[in-house]
Structure formats: structure tokens, C-alpha cells
Amino acid sequence: MRRSITKFDHRTPLYRCPICHEALELVQASLQCVNRHTFNISAKGLVSLLRGENGNSNLYDRNFFEHRSAVFSAGMYEHVAEAYCDAVRTALSSSHKFSAQTSHEPQEQSSRVVDAGCGEGYYIRRLLSSEEQQHTSQTLSTNLIAIDLSKDAISLAAIGGGDIEWVVSDLARIPLIDHTVDCITNVFSPANYAEFDRILRPGGRLIKIIPGPHHVMELRHAIVKAGLRGDSQYSNQQVLSGINEHMHIVSTTRVSATTAVDSALLKDFMAMTPVMFHINHDDLDLSTIDAITVEADVIVATR
């Protein structure tokens, strides 16, 4: 059987049925529960575990993710990806130490990382590449699961196959069994902290990456100058309050880089940043913008 199918075969169940919440297990080329609810796995190694929702939006469509891929390819988020990989490695180390101290039961052979709101998969693919470069056959493997509501994003992410398990699902109803995940990543994406808390193991970590105060300040200033918004400031207070309701913040690290852009790259960037949602590009004076700042706060929290 193809690796695109067998990668969903877990020694102990990981997925749960989105209809009845019973465990899903691999049956031929599908995930199936005891009530015979069946979800087919595509040849590209993706499965939809939605409950009839559309799975796409007018804002986050394939065009959006293709523009975002162009921005990532230009290296504008390289520093964020490096911080992401570093945070995951540290989180997994901390999670294993906690498990060893608090449990007398045999540990899973592999760590489990879930990228919740993975988009086209840029960050988790970078993590996979980093793991392949650093780990040897004697090192515990890392099981990577990537989830997004957008079918367009997951279809784009799954091109080329690989060992990442690509899942179309709503973060409000994550189709994973309670306390089965060591680390959740959530990068520039909506979150559901109650669900994150439910699926994390004791000692597990959430890595939440959000815009820093100077993120895309060049575009935000242009929008204010055009009179389309009254304030160029950005506040993370609502996000921090949401995390604190369910988890304890362990650390926050800020990374920032300003990258030169030409007209083509600026066009790609404007097509993929939520800052430009509902803004008419023709209303802005872009003549002075020759660089864009990407700043992010990497927040690590534990349940």
C-alpha cells in the first residue's frame, strides 16, 4: 500500500470520527470508525474530516495561497520559519521531560506535532525538512499532522506527497482524540484554545505566532494616510487574553526582518496579507513602499 495511505496508520488511534467521535482506524484506503463512517484518503495523502461544510472561503481561496507561496519563496518569512522550528524542537524536548517525570507508562515511539491552520503547509514542511536534516535513524521520529479548513489550501499543500498527514477540518471540532498531541502550532491563524487544550497531552506545548507591533507597518501607514482606517497600531491583547483563559504562557520571543520588494513581490504580498482585506489597492499611494517589515511574536504556552 502507498505511503500516502499508510502514514495514517497509527499504533494507537489518533483520529476520531467527526460524526460520532469514535476512534478512526485505517481500513484499506480510508479512515473508518466502528459505526462505519468512512473518510477516503486521496492518492496525494490528504483526507477530509469535515461534516459537510464547504471547506473554502472567498478570502482564503487557492489564489490567496498561491500568492502567499510566492511571498514565502522570496524568503520574506524565513526568520519566522526558523523561529518556528526552534520553538517546536524546544517544545518537544520539554514535553518529553515532563512525560518522563509524570508517567510510568510506556511512551509513544514518536512525538506528535499538529499545525492547526496550516494553510499551504509552508511552516510544517520547513519543520519536516529540519527534522530530516538533524535526526538520525536512532532518533525518535516526529509525527506531523497539518489541519486547515480550506480544501484549496490542503490540496495545494499535499502536492508532492511526503510524510505529513494533511487533513481538512474545522478547528472548532478538531478530529483528534483527547490528549494525543505533544505540540500544537498555530501561525498567523485563528485559534480554538479549548480544543487545543483538549487534544494536548499533559506537559504539551502550544506555539502561537502572531503579528508583532511593527508587522507590515509600511502598508498600515499607507492605509491610514489614505483615510481608510484611523489607526495604524496593532494590539495582541485579545489574543493573549484568549490564551490565558485556557493555558499558561511560558515565553514570548519577537523576530523581525525588513525585506526589499519590487512591484511584483509587493503585489503578491498585498494579495495575501489580511491587512489588505476589504481595502481597494487603487486607493493607496504605494510609490514610496520599497520594503516590507515582517515582525512576529512567538508565544509558547502549556496546558
Side-chain angles (χ1 to χ4, degrees):
M1 194 179 295
R2 293 181 180 179
R3 176 58 185 159
S4 60
I5 306 298
T6 59
K7 66 185 178 183
F8 288 92
D9 189 15
H10 295 274
R11 187 176 63 181
T12 57
L14 170 61
Y15 295 98
R16 73 178 193 181
C17 177
I19 299 171
C20 65
H21 288 182
E22 294 291 341
L24 291 169
E25 297 193 19
L26 185 66
V27 178
Q28 296 182 339
S30 302
L31 292 177
Q32 187 178 97
C33 70
V34 294
N35 295 315
R36 295 187 179 262
H37 298 130
T38 302
F39 305 89
N40 297 330
I41 302 168
S42 80
K44 292 195 296 184
L46 69 89
V47 62
S48 177
L49 296 177
L50 284 173
R51 292 186 57 184
E53 294 92 337
N54 188 319
N56 286 316
S57 74
N58 293 329
L59 293 175
Y60 296 98
D61 58 8
R62 190 178 185 90
N63 181 64
F64 168 88
F65 289 108
E66 286 176 345
H67 282 293
R68 200 163 81 155
S69 292
V71 169
F72 288 148
S73 296
M76 295 186 72
Y77 283 76
E78 178 76 18
H79 57 298
V80 181
E82 290 179 359
Y84 172 95
C85 293
D86 289 344
V88 171
R89 283 192 291 268
T90 301
L92 292 180
S93 176
S94 299
S95 177
H96 283 307
K97 288 177 183 177
F98 182 90
S99 297
Q101 292 169 358
T102 60
S103 175
H104 300 291
E105 298 180 4
Q107 299 299 305
E108 289 285 342
Q109 283 258 314
S110 60
S111 303
R112 285 174 176 164
V113 177
V114 170
D115 188 8
C118 66
E120 69 300 286
Y122 171 70
Y123 294 101
I124 199 162
R125 281 198 180 278
R126 283 294 302 271
L127 179 62
L128 176 61
S129 176
S130 174
E131 292 289 296
E132 290 174 342
Q133 291 174 14
Q134 295 197 20
H135 286 187
T136 66
S137 59
Q138 287 75 39
T139 308
L140 293 177
S141 61
T142 304
N143 186 203
L144 303 179
I145 302 102
I147 299 175
D148 202 281
L149 178 61
S150 170
K151 292 180 181 178
D152 284 338
I154 292 294
S155 295
L156 191 62
I159 293 174
D163 286 338
I164 299 169
E165 296 168 38
W166 304 105
V167 180
V168 182
S169 178
D170 187 351
L171 296 189
R173 293 182 293 275
I174 299 176
L176 299 176
I177 294 172
D178 295 2
H179 312 314
T180 52
V181 174
D182 297 283
C183 178
I184 299 171
T185 64
N186 184 245
V187 186
F188 296 121
S189 175
N192 188 303
Y193 301 111
E195 279 291 271
F196 293 169
D197 182 58
R198 178 183 66 79
I199 66 173
L200 276 176
R201 289 172 174 156
R205 295 289 192 270
L206 165 66
I207 297 169
K208 171 75 173 171
I209 300 183
I210 57 179
H214 299 102
H215 185 58
V216 296
M217 61 182 182
E218 299 85 358
L219 286 176
R220 288 193 278 116
H221 288 159
I223 292 169
V224 172
K225 186 177 180 181
L228 301 177
R229 288 185 189 140
D231 191 356
S232 64
Q233 298 301 309
Y234 179 84
S235 173
N236 287 324
Q237 190 54 52
Q238 187 174 357
V239 174
L240 297 175
S241 297
I243 297 173
N244 281 321
E245 283 183 20
H246 297 276
M247 299 181 181
H248 169 67
I249 294 177
V250 176
S251 66
T252 301
T253 304
R254 181 165 295 163
V255 294
S256 184
T258 301
T259 306
V261 295
D262 58 18
S263 58
L265 185 53
L266 180 59
K267 182 179 179 180
D268 282 324
F269 195 96
M270 292 173 66
M272 57 72 71
T273 176
V275 171
M276 292 301 301
F277 287 176
H278 312 299
I279 295 290
N280 186 339
H281 297 189
D282 295 334
D283 291 337
L284 301 182
D285 177 10
L286 305 175
S287 60
T288 61
I289 298 180
D290 57 8
I292 293 289
T293 299
V294 172
E295 184 173 87
D297 287 346
V298 182
I299 301 170
V300 180
T302 188
R303 62 186 302 275

